[in-house]
Amino acid sequence: QVQLVESGGGLVQAGGSLRLSCAASGSIFSIVTMGWYRQAPGKQRELVARINLADFAVYADFAKGRFTISRDSAKNMVYLQMNSLKPEDTAVYYCGSGPRSDMVHWGKGTLVTVSS
């Protein structure tokens, strides 16, 4: 079993920054990929960024140049640094993990609200 707990969400003004953290516990040896997805009200969950054991990262187009995903394997942590935030970034951000590139484990999410 894998448990994921997100933190770092909150209210920020447009143009501001937030750093999200995700702590993994349990059967972490099975984790190959960790990532961040987000879901706004009435919309489907979408990829923000993911990163594998080789530190190869993939970003959604809206995240490129603004968001940075990183991981600390020793601490079983993954982070999402979000800069130049926009109101349309408002969503619940979920941490995910999986044994391949897909996400099969999910945290409960952390709310990010960007005000204009």
Side-chain angles (χ1 to χ4, degrees), residues 67 73 75 78 116:
F67 298 177
S73 296
K75 297 181 178 180
V78 65
S116 60

Side-chain angles (χ1 to χ4, degrees), residues 12-71:
V12 64
Q13 289 188 334
S17 299
L18 284 174
R19 188 183 189 228
L20 306 183
S21 299
C22 175
S25 62
S27 301
I28 56 176
F29 57 85
S30 65
I31 297 176
V32 171
T33 302
M34 297 187 70
W36 293 92
Y37 285 66
R38 71 184 188 184
Q39 187 169 26
K43 297 183 179 179
Q44 292 189 349
R45 190 174 299 186
E46 63 180 348
L47 170 73
V48 178
R50 67 174 192 263
I51 189 167
N52 67 11
L53 292 175
D55 282 345
F56 177 76
V58 175
Y59 294 89
D61 286 342
F62 65 79
K64 293 179 180 177
R66 296 193 298 130
F67 298 177
T68 302
I69 189 170
S70 61
R71 59 190 289 272

Side-chain angles (χ1 to χ4, degrees), residues 7-13 18 20 82 85 90-91 110-115:
S7 62
L11 176 64
V12 64
Q13 289 188 334
L18 284 174
L20 306 183
M82 303 189 293
L85 284 163
T90 297
T110 184
L111 177 63
V112 172
T113 303
V114 184
S115 63

